[in-house]
Amino acid sequence: MPVPAPVLYPPFNIVRLSHVEYRVTDLAASRAFYVDTLGLQVTQEDGETIYLRALEERGHHCIVLRRADAASVGVLGLKLFDDPDLEKAEAFFRAKGLPVEWVARPFMGRVLRTCDPFGIPLEFYVRMDRLPPIHQTYALYKGVKPLRIDHFNMFSSDVDASVAFYNEIGFRVTEYTEDDQSGRLWAAWMHRKGGVHDVAFTNGTGPRLHHTAFWVPNPLAIIDLLDLMATTGYVANIERGPGRHGISNAFFLYIRDPDGHRIEIYCSDYQTVDPDLEPIRWSLTDPQRQTLWGAPAPRSWFEEGSLFEGATLVESGLKAQPIVAP
Amino acid sequence: MPVPAPVLYPPFNIVRLSHVEYRVTDLAASRAFYVDTLGLQVTQEDGETIYLRALEERGHHCIVLRRADAASVGVLGLKLFDDPDLEKAEAFFRAKGLPVEWVARPFMGRVLRTCDPFGIPLEFYVRMDRLPPIHQTYALYKGVKPLRIDHFNMFSSDVDASVAFYNEIGFRVTEYTEDDQSGRLWAAWMHRKGGVHDVAFTNGTGPRLHHTAFWVPNPLAIIDLLDLMATTGYVANIERGPGRHGISNAFFLYIRDPDGHRIEIYCSDYQTVDPDLEPIRWSLTDPQRQTLWGAPAPRSWFEEGSLFEGATLVESGLKAQPIVAP
Amino acid sequence: MPVPAPVLYPPFNIVRLSHVEYRVTDLAASRAFYVDTLGLQVTQEDGETIYLRALEERGHHCIVLRRADAASVGVLGLKLFDDPDLEKAEAFFRAKGLPVEWVARPFMGRVLRTCDPFGIPLEFYVRMDRLPPIHQTYALYKGVKPLRIDHFNMFSSDVDASVAFYNEIGFRVTEYTEDDQSGRLWAAWMHRKGGVHDVAFTNGTGPRLHHTAFWVPNPLAIIDLLDLMATTGYVANIERGPGRHGISNAFFLYIRDPDGHRIEIYCSDYQTVDPDLEPIRWSLTDPQRQTLWGAPAPRSWFEEGSLFEGATLVESGLKAQPIVAP
Amino acid sequence: MPVPAPVLYPPFNIVRLSHVEYRVTDLAASRAFYVDTLGLQVTQEDGETIYLRALEERGHHCIVLRRADAASVGVLGLKLFDDPDLEKAEAFFRAKGLPVEWVARPFMGRVLRTCDPFGIPLEFYVRMDRLPPIHQTYALYKGVKPLRIDHFNMFSSDVDASVAFYNEIGFRVTEYTEDDQSGRLWAAWMHRKGGVHDVAFTNGTGPRLHHTAFWVPNPLAIIDLLDLMATTGYVANIERGPGRHGISNAFFLYIRDPDGHRIEIYCSDYQTVDPDLEPIRWSLTDPQRQTLWGAPAPRSWFEEGSLFEGATLVESGLKAQPIVAP
């Protein structure tokens, strides 16, 4: 099995994925998409930046939209368990020879800025402003009724190496796709918070962000979003779905924001808190891993992704033929 | 407008579509599909024939599966309002020069066998054995929880002519697709029972049956069926969907039975009992009429259909380029 | 069986129930309830009157809210099939010695105003202004996503007599409750449009309107409304439900508007177009007819109703002990 | 605030609640309820005992049904993170003067048997037999489609003391009800696994088990179960619901097994992994904490519970008037 054994006592304690900064070229267009269409809640905004949270979140933000000349991903944020974990993380990344920096961020306590060995910009923190609960303020529910940020999915030019690194910092593999020929990992799903994943990696030119996912209450919320997008000028932003992945058993929909950043809307995860949870293996030759019901995905879904600020793209040496619709 | 004015006082009173006889090459395989997978209820069976009803139906059957050497459609059945309507129907079809015949059918009263001008075999009746209600016997609900037969959709080589004929016998157009170039009908949806359609016609080599549709309670029943079929050996029988048609607003799924007969599962119709209901026009150039959410249909969906017993195929002169997935 | 045989050829052709005029004491409060909370669409309004339609309706209105000093029901509206049906209806009601009058109504053609033998004010019409479809304008969907008006339910002091009269004008009984002791009808559900009912009658001091019902797409829309009402100041307006009636198999919710007019929100009806549909009998002693799942209803639900303008209340001689919550 | 600060570094690491042993008087009747009606999967059975798991669980069992002369609860099981946690737990309970014992259990590794200070029998373990995944074997899904065991809810005669003890071993309070008069806790919800609760305590004669809860995919699964139970002889086993709790935002249903053991079926939890999650306070005088939509609960729900083997009942000194249906 190409999946490393889980590290039960990692060097520092990551609670969960937390937030993403998207650089966007038209803030008003992004607001219409994320707020008016998806239903995320604005917690702060000015002419340069919009902070958003989902309906059951109490942290100040899960998405930061920042006006920029070109679309990209500024950083991925991860929440640590306790203050000493910040110093432990600093020491860990420094020892790896990776850049570390303490940065100031609005609405947050101390923030450690670094990157993973492949160039993905990361920031770690313990404290973010906490906001009053709104999950029972049902008058706010609209769009797809997004409840919480769920995971990041990234293209990696070396999935084995990505998995080894994230495994070392405590992420545990729940499912993975193996290339039967080479015995190498094609893709893997890894979690900290007890669901199928906080982060996932898929083979391809990387590092790039494939998508950020939001959790919604049930499939009907996704159908409602499809109907809404299809009749409000967003039909071309619907990329793939609805469908069910074999992997993770997720009922999914993939959409693109006005800059092409991909958002997954999904539900039907399962609980993974058991430390002895056995990873589920899928063969790269099994088409149902991608789509349980058999419908092909469009080529864009396999090929396109968002660039990370400051990262250098590397092509993967591992090739396979995806099953695509034109 | 290419759609004829509705005939408010037709020559005889059709209540609704009623049943279809499918000729099938492997009765056991068909039973596994319709009964064990879809959840239709057997009301009678022997080595040659299986009679089925859906869960809210009280008539004896909506599908007859008959063992045959080759797959085809034996007949489409329609229920008339009252006994005199049978004689009126006989006179009407005889006056058109179409063959009429009184035939004996198990579980049914008098049956008038005839065909439409294009060769589609039809049978009309007033009485069919009535069975006790089972719609609250919830232990019987499984598969996709089919509640009732909803409509027939047919390929026609001359949709204008098909619509003119069915309009004359009282079917009222609810929605239609027009070829802007020629001003001719590409497709039309026509009803008797107060929903979007009892019958529909689509341009193509005909007459052929495109599909028979069943009504289910909500989209989650369709998702359940997809999960079930995908994990019980029927993934290749899933042809298209789930999705929403622009036309009729239906949330749909298309599946193929073991002989290739196409079944639509759907919900989200609307009420059409008003005799002054205005038909909704769609342009052939509007892709959202087919699929509100934008996903293409596979080529098979546009091209394949079931043959009617005794009918002669005619190619349509009207051509268009469907938007297909490979 | 205490239910009369259906009249297949009634004296005039009623298509369906159509609209209700509610007299309300605070137009702004009613607007907040019907428009902002339930999600009905305003088609016309001024300081005295608000006209509303549901999302799949194309007739101009299904509810008229009219400002008044006291809450009551002005009239129940019914749509006829064709112009000659208006004269036939006039002759029928005149022959019964009931008052008939041709009245002018905004947004409607000729309107025949009359009442039933028990004093329920009725109006019949053929033409009402038709509006463009909005059922695919999904940005308008909110609240409980009401799709169409479905039925009226009325208290009658003599259900046998009410059923006999409405049967004579073509309504067909689908389900009924019989008092085993007396052999008399306790309640009955009667339809024209092919569902379980356009009108229903329940034993009690009458005539009073028990409720007007709206059809919604699925049970989750009802759960969404409950969450919304419970957190926007309407918790006391939730009277009963969610639950399922044995009778009609409806998944239901009963709420009260600011004047106490009762609205039912429901889904899970079944199709009743067959003229030989057998009515389903329920015994008055079977508690599951009211509530399949066993939860009792509050006393208010059994006792309270809206007064009809101009009608004189009569107490029923038929008594029974409802099963109530305090 | 009467809620203690969370213990971030507890004396041993509990992963989650795991299983319950119900002693039942008629094993066949219990099997019909848990397996044929709810849809739990049998993993082992003989004439004395039935082991069950839910559909996404890979541990061998979440319920053990054991034949006995009288109904009771044998033990509550909790899974620990790693082998050393077993010794740490042993030391902790021994230091508290509580009985500790290493016991043999089928399908499990080392098991530490003990009890909490109030007499609730507990067992801790790290290893239980792991079974192949069945969450995508959709042909197995029936009944309410139970996905996993979610929590235990217990009556406590001293909720403040119960919360203090479970807080000490690492459970974190997510929501609580306070008696404004006395400033004492009326009820509290506490978690380990990242949802609203693994365990909850409510004021009353204790210790008794109020209910064990199962997680299901969406509210429609609960409606399906209600329909099934109502028409298969289990209508009297439906105790309360469907409804939504203010506390935890759960969409719930409470049912009773043939021995009166109460099972909650629910969905609509939220994620609680943040260690700085602020507990939500509810006042005992706020009726929406119990039932967001306003419907009262039956008296049995407030008063009845299952006895724990070996525990001595103590009456609570804290009294309040519940809002009940008769």
Side-chain angles (χ1 to χ4, degrees):
Chain A
M1 188 176 79
V3 173
V7 174
L8 296 188
Y9 303 96
F12 53 99
N13 188 348
I14 299 171
V15 175
R16 59 174 175 91
L17 94 158
S18 163
H19 59 274
V20 55
E21 182 196 277
Y22 279 125
R23 304 208 176 165
V24 300
T25 57
D26 181 337
L27 208 52
S30 294
R31 194 185 198 285
F33 181 82
Y34 287 101
V35 178
D36 301 337
T37 305
L38 295 195
L40 288 163
Q41 303 294 311
V42 175
T43 57
Q44 177 77 14
E45 64 182 323
D46 58 30
E48 294 296 311
T49 320
I50 301 175
Y51 292 84
L52 303 171
R53 70 161 157 162
L55 287 152
E56 74 169 50
E57 293 175 337
R58 302 202 212 153
H60 183 272
H61 54 268
C62 61
I63 291 192
V64 181
L65 302 173
R66 189 175 304 282
R67 202 170 62 78
D69 290 337
S72 70
V73 178
V75 73
L76 304 183
L78 298 153
K79 182 176 174 75
L80 300 186
F81 188 77
D82 198 3
D83 291 311
D85 291 306
L86 277 168
E87 273 68 36
K88 294 176 188 169
E90 181 193 22
F92 175 86
F93 279 87
R94 193 182 298 279
K96 291 281 184 190
L98 293 164
V100 290
E101 182 184 9
W102 296 98
V103 294
R105 291 270 181 269
F107 316 110
M108 296 174 71
R110 297 167 66 214
V111 175
L112 177 70
R113 171 73 182 235
T114 181
C115 68
D116 80 2
F118 317 96
I120 296 178
L122 302 175
E123 64 185 28
F124 296 98
Y125 74 97
V126 173
R127 312 278 166 211
M128 180 188 280
D129 285 4
R130 304 291 292 181
L131 301 179
I134 52 171
H135 64 284
Q136 293 182 323
T137 309
Y138 282 104
L140 297 177
Y141 282 62
K142 59 180 184 172
V144 76
K145 301 173 181 172
L147 296 182
R148 56 178 183 265
I149 194 170
D150 191 86
H151 63 260
F152 301 127
N153 186 304
M154 288 152 279
F155 282 117
S156 167
S157 61
D158 185 342
V159 174
D160 289 283
S162 291
V163 167
F165 178 78
Y166 283 85
N167 189 71
E168 189 176 353
I169 59 175
F171 290 85
R172 305 202 296 252
V173 176
T174 56
E175 309 205 14
Y176 64 97
T177 303
E178 187 174 353
D179 177 15
D180 305 306
Q181 309 267 307
S182 65
R184 294 187 54 195
L185 284 175
W186 182 266
W189 286 256
M190 308 179 78
H191 86 95
R192 283 297 300 167
K193 70 180 180 300
V196 171
H197 47 329
D198 289 75
V199 297
F201 300 94
T202 306
N203 181 67
T205 300
R208 290 179 298 156
L209 182 62
H210 189 272
H211 64 262
T212 298
F214 284 86
W215 176 262
V216 297
N218 59 59
L220 294 193
I222 291 178
I223 294 169
D224 286 346
L225 180 65
L226 281 157
D227 288 332
L228 182 67
M229 290 182 64
T231 55
T232 53
Y234 288 106
V235 68
N237 298 63
I238 300 171
E239 187 182 37
R240 180 186 179 192
R244 189 181 300 283
H245 289 306
I247 292 167
S248 86
N249 205 37
F251 184 85
F252 67 80
L253 172 70
Y254 292 93
I255 54 180
R256 305 293 288 270
D257 87 356
D259 285 290
H261 297 307
R262 186 182 289 106
I263 299 292
E264 181 184 10
I265 310 292
Y266 99 121
C267 52
S268 295
D269 206 60
Y270 59 87
Q271 188 181 289
T272 63
V273 290
D274 289 2
D276 53 353
L277 184 86
E278 306 80 355
I280 297 176
R281 179 193 180 277
W282 297 81
S283 166
L284 185 56
T285 60
D286 178 357
Q288 285 194 292
R289 76 179 203 285
Q290 278 282 4
T291 171
L292 196 69
W293 305 337
R299 185 166 295 276
S300 63
W301 190 88
F302 291 101
E303 298 184 349
E304 299 175 10
S306 299
L307 298 177
F308 287 109
E309 281 297 306
T312 305
L313 290 183
V314 176
E315 207 174 326
S316 167
L318 199 54
K319 302 291 180 192
Q321 194 55 37
I323 301 160
V324 299
Chain B
M1 189 174 82
V3 173
V7 173
L8 296 189
Y9 303 96
F12 54 98
N13 188 347
I14 299 170
V15 175
R16 60 174 176 90
L17 94 158
S18 163
H19 57 276
V20 55
E21 182 196 278
Y22 279 125
R23 305 208 175 164
V24 299
T25 57
D26 181 337
L27 209 52
S30 295
R31 194 185 197 285
F33 180 81
Y34 287 101
V35 177
D36 301 337
T37 304
L38 295 195
L40 289 162
Q41 302 294 309
V42 175
T43 57
Q44 177 76 15
E45 64 182 322
D46 58 32
E48 294 296 311
T49 320
I50 301 175
Y51 292 84
L52 303 170
R53 71 160 157 162
L55 287 152
E56 73 169 50
E57 293 176 334
R58 303 203 211 151
H60 183 272
H61 54 267
C62 61
I63 291 193
V64 182
L65 302 173
R66 189 175 302 283
R67 200 170 62 77
D69 291 337
S72 70
V73 177
V75 73
L76 304 182
L78 298 152
K79 182 177 174 76
L80 301 185
F81 188 77
D82 198 3
D83 291 311
D85 291 307
L86 278 169
E87 271 70 37
K88 293 176 188 170
E90 181 193 22
F92 176 86
F93 279 87
R94 193 182 298 279
K96 291 281 185 190
L98 294 164
V100 290
E101 185 184 8
W102 296 98
V103 295
R105 293 270 180 268
F107 314 111
M108 297 172 74
R110 298 167 66 215
V111 174
L112 176 71
R113 171 72 183 236
T114 181
C115 68
D116 80 3
F118 317 97
I120 297 178
L122 302 175
E123 64 186 26
F124 296 98
Y125 75 96
V126 172
R127 312 276 166 211
M128 180 188 279
D129 285 4
R130 305 291 293 182
L131 302 179
I134 51 172
H135 65 281
Q136 293 182 325
T137 308
Y138 281 103
L140 297 177
Y141 282 63
K142 60 180 185 174
V144 76
K145 302 176 181 169
L147 296 182
R148 56 178 183 268
I149 193 169
D150 190 86
H151 62 260
F152 301 127
N153 185 307
M154 288 153 278
F155 282 117
S156 168
S157 62
D158 184 342
V159 174
D160 288 283
S162 291
V163 167
F165 178 78
Y166 283 83
N167 189 70
E168 189 176 353
I169 61 174
F171 289 86
R172 304 201 296 251
V173 175
T174 56
E175 308 205 14
Y176 64 97
T177 302
E178 187 174 352
D179 178 13
D180 304 306
Q181 309 266 307
S182 65
R184 292 186 58 193
L185 284 175
W186 182 267
W189 285 256
M190 307 179 79
H191 86 96
R192 283 297 300 165
K193 70 180 180 301
V196 171
H197 48 329
D198 289 76
V199 297
F201 300 94
T202 305
N203 182 67
T205 300
R208 290 178 298 156
L209 183 62
H210 189 271
H211 64 262
T212 299
F214 284 86
W215 176 262
V216 297
N218 59 60
L220 294 192
I222 291 179
I223 294 169
D224 286 346
L225 179 66
L226 281 157
D227 288 331
L228 181 67
M229 290 182 64
T231 55
T232 54
Y234 288 106
V235 68
N237 298 63
I238 300 171
E239 187 182 36
R240 180 186 178 191
R244 188 181 300 284
H245 290 306
I247 292 168
S248 87
N249 204 37
F251 185 85
F252 67 80
L253 171 70
Y254 292 92
I255 53 179
R256 306 292 290 268
D257 86 357
D259 285 290
H261 297 307
R262 186 182 289 108
I263 298 291
E264 181 185 9
I265 310 292
Y266 99 122
C267 53
S268 295
D269 206 59
Y270 58 88
Q271 191 181 97
T272 63
V273 290
D274 289 1
D276 53 353
L277 185 86
E278 305 80 356
I280 296 177
R281 179 191 181 277
W282 297 81
S283 167
L284 186 55
T285 60
D286 177 358
Q288 285 194 293
R289 73 179 205 286
Q290 279 281 3
T291 172
L292 197 68
W293 305 337
R299 186 167 293 276
S300 64
W301 191 88
F302 291 101
E303 297 183 350
E304 298 175 10
S306 299
L307 298 177
F308 287 108
E309 280 297 306
T312 306
L313 289 183
V314 176
E315 206 174 324
S316 167
L318 198 56
K319 302 291 181 195
Q321 195 55 37
I323 301 159
V324 299
Chain C
M1 187 175 84
V3 173
V7 173
L8 295 189
Y9 303 96
F12 54 98
N13 189 347
I14 299 171
V15 175
R16 60 173 175 91
L17 94 157
S18 163
H19 59 275
V20 55
E21 182 197 277
Y22 279 125
R23 304 206 176 166
V24 299
T25 57
D26 182 336
L27 209 51
S30 295
R31 195 185 197 286
F33 180 82
Y34 287 101
V35 178
D36 302 336
T37 305
L38 295 195
L40 289 163
Q41 303 293 311
V42 175
T43 57
Q44 176 77 14
E45 66 182 321
D46 58 31
E48 294 296 311
T49 321
I50 301 175
Y51 292 84
L52 303 170
R53 69 161 159 164
L55 287 151
E56 73 170 51
E57 293 175 336
R58 303 202 212 152
H60 183 273
H61 54 268
C62 61
I63 291 194
V64 181
L65 301 173
R66 190 175 302 284
R67 200 170 63 76
D69 291 335
S72 69
V73 177
V75 72
L76 304 183
L78 298 153
K79 181 176 173 77
L80 300 185
F81 188 77
D82 198 3
D83 291 310
D85 290 306
L86 277 169
E87 272 69 37
K88 292 177 189 169
E90 181 193 22
F92 176 86
F93 278 86
R94 194 183 296 281
K96 291 282 185 188
L98 293 165
V100 290
E101 185 184 6
W102 295 98
V103 294
R105 293 270 181 270
F107 315 111
M108 298 173 72
R110 296 166 68 214
V111 174
L112 177 71
R113 171 75 182 235
T114 181
C115 68
D116 80 2
F118 317 97
I120 295 178
L122 302 175
E123 63 185 30
F124 295 98
Y125 74 97
V126 172
R127 312 276 166 213
M128 182 188 278
D129 284 4
R130 306 291 292 180
L131 302 179
I134 51 173
H135 65 282
Q136 292 182 325
T137 309
Y138 282 103
L140 296 178
Y141 283 63
K142 59 181 183 172
V144 76
K145 301 175 182 169
L147 296 182
R148 57 177 182 266
I149 194 169
D150 191 86
H151 63 260
F152 301 127
N153 186 305
M154 288 153 278
F155 282 118
S156 167
S157 61
D158 185 341
V159 173
D160 289 283
S162 292
V163 167
F165 179 79
Y166 283 84
N167 189 71
E168 190 176 352
I169 60 174
F171 289 86
R172 304 201 297 250
V173 176
T174 55
E175 308 206 14
Y176 63 98
T177 303
E178 187 174 354
D179 177 15
D180 304 306
Q181 308 266 305
S182 65
R184 293 186 57 193
L185 285 174
W186 182 266
W189 286 256
M190 307 179 78
H191 86 96
R192 283 296 301 167
K193 70 180 179 301
V196 171
H197 49 329
D198 289 75
V199 296
F201 300 94
T202 306
N203 182 67
T205 299
R208 289 179 299 155
L209 184 62
H210 189 272
H211 64 263
T212 298
F214 283 86
W215 176 262
V216 297
N218 59 59
L220 294 192
I222 291 179
I223 293 169
D224 286 344
L225 179 65
L226 281 157
D227 288 331
L228 181 66
M229 290 182 65
T231 55
T232 53
Y234 287 106
V235 68
N237 297 62
I238 301 170
E239 187 181 37
R240 180 185 178 191
R244 189 182 298 283
H245 290 305
I247 292 168
S248 86
N249 205 36
F251 184 84
F252 67 81
L253 172 70
Y254 292 93
I255 54 178
R256 307 293 288 270
D257 86 357
D259 285 290
H261 298 306
R262 186 181 288 107
I263 299 291
E264 181 183 8
I265 310 293
Y266 99 122
C267 53
S268 296
D269 206 59
Y270 59 86
Q271 186 179 293
T272 64
V273 291
D274 289 2
D276 53 353
L277 183 85
E278 306 80 357
I280 298 178
R281 180 191 179 278
W282 297 81
S283 167
L284 186 54
T285 60
D286 178 357
Q288 284 194 293
R289 75 180 204 284
Q290 278 282 3
T291 172
L292 196 69
W293 305 338
R299 186 167 295 275
S300 64
W301 192 87
F302 291 102
E303 297 184 350
E304 298 175 10
S306 298
L307 298 177
F308 287 109
E309 280 298 304
T312 306
L313 291 182
V314 177
E315 207 174 324
S316 168
L318 198 56
K319 302 290 180 192
Q321 195 55 37
I323 300 160
V324 299
Chain D
M1 187 176 83
V3 174
V7 173
L8 296 188
Y9 303 97
F12 54 99
N13 189 349
I14 299 171
V15 175
R16 61 174 174 91
L17 94 158
S18 163
H19 57 276
V20 55
E21 182 196 277
Y22 279 125
R23 305 209 174 164
V24 300
T25 58
D26 181 338
L27 209 52
S30 294
R31 194 186 197 285
F33 180 83
Y34 287 100
V35 178
D36 301 336
T37 305
L38 295 195
L40 289 163
Q41 302 294 310
V42 175
T43 56
Q44 177 77 14
E45 64 183 323
D46 58 32
E48 295 296 311
T49 320
I50 301 175
Y51 292 84
L52 303 171
R53 71 160 156 163
L55 288 152
E56 73 170 51
E57 293 176 336
R58 303 202 211 153
H60 183 271
H61 54 268
C62 61
I63 292 194
V64 181
L65 301 173
R66 189 175 302 284
R67 202 170 61 77
D69 290 336
S72 70
V73 178
V75 72
L76 304 183
L78 298 152
K79 182 175 173 78
L80 300 185
F81 188 78
D82 198 3
D83 290 311
D85 291 305
L86 277 168
E87 272 69 36
K88 293 176 189 168
E90 181 192 22
F92 175 86
F93 279 86
R94 193 183 297 281
K96 291 279 185 190
L98 293 164
V100 290
E101 185 184 9
W102 296 99
V103 295
R105 293 270 181 268
F107 315 112
M108 296 172 73
R110 297 167 66 215
V111 175
L112 177 70
R113 171 73 183 232
T114 182
C115 68
D116 79 4
F118 318 96
I120 296 178
L122 301 174
E123 62 185 30
F124 296 98
Y125 74 97
V126 171
R127 311 275 167 214
M128 181 188 279
D129 284 5
R130 304 291 293 181
L131 302 180
I134 51 172
H135 65 282
Q136 292 183 323
T137 310
Y138 282 103
L140 296 177
Y141 282 63
K142 60 181 182 172
V144 76
K145 303 174 180 169
L147 295 182
R148 57 178 182 266
I149 193 169
D150 191 86
H151 63 260
F152 301 127
N153 186 306
M154 288 153 277
F155 282 116
S156 168
S157 61
D158 185 342
V159 174
D160 288 283
S162 292
V163 167
F165 178 79
Y166 283 85
N167 189 70
E168 189 176 352
I169 60 175
F171 290 86
R172 305 203 293 253
V173 176
T174 56
E175 307 206 16
Y176 64 97
T177 302
E178 187 174 355
D179 177 14
D180 305 305
Q181 309 266 309
S182 64
R184 292 185 57 193
L185 284 174
W186 182 265
W189 286 256
M190 308 180 79
H191 86 96
R192 283 297 300 168
K193 71 181 178 301
V196 171
H197 48 329
D198 289 75
V199 297
F201 300 94
T202 306
N203 181 68
T205 300
R208 290 179 298 157
L209 183 62
H210 189 273
H211 64 262
T212 298
F214 283 86
W215 176 261
V216 297
N218 59 59
L220 294 192
I222 292 180
I223 294 169
D224 285 347
L225 179 65
L226 281 157
D227 287 333
L228 182 66
M229 290 182 65
T231 55
T232 54
Y234 288 106
V235 68
N237 298 62
I238 301 170
E239 187 182 38
R240 181 186 177 190
R244 187 180 303 281
H245 289 306
I247 292 167
S248 86
N249 204 37
F251 184 84
F252 67 80
L253 172 70
Y254 292 93
I255 54 179
R256 307 292 290 268
D257 87 355
D259 285 290
H261 297 307
R262 185 182 289 109
I263 299 292
E264 181 185 9
I265 309 295
Y266 100 122
C267 53
S268 296
D269 209 57
Y270 58 88
Q271 191 181 98
T272 64
V273 289
D274 290 1
D276 53 354
L277 184 84
E278 306 81 355
I280 297 177
R281 179 192 181 277
W282 297 81
S283 166
L284 186 55
T285 61
D286 177 357
Q288 284 195 294
R289 74 179 203 284
Q290 279 281 3
T291 172
L292 196 68
W293 304 337
R299 186 167 294 276
S300 63
W301 191 88
F302 291 101
E303 297 184 350
E304 299 176 9
S306 298
L307 298 177
F308 286 109
E309 281 296 307
T312 306
L313 289 183
V314 177
E315 206 173 325
S316 167
L318 197 55
K319 301 291 181 194
Q321 195 57 35
I323 300 160
V324 300

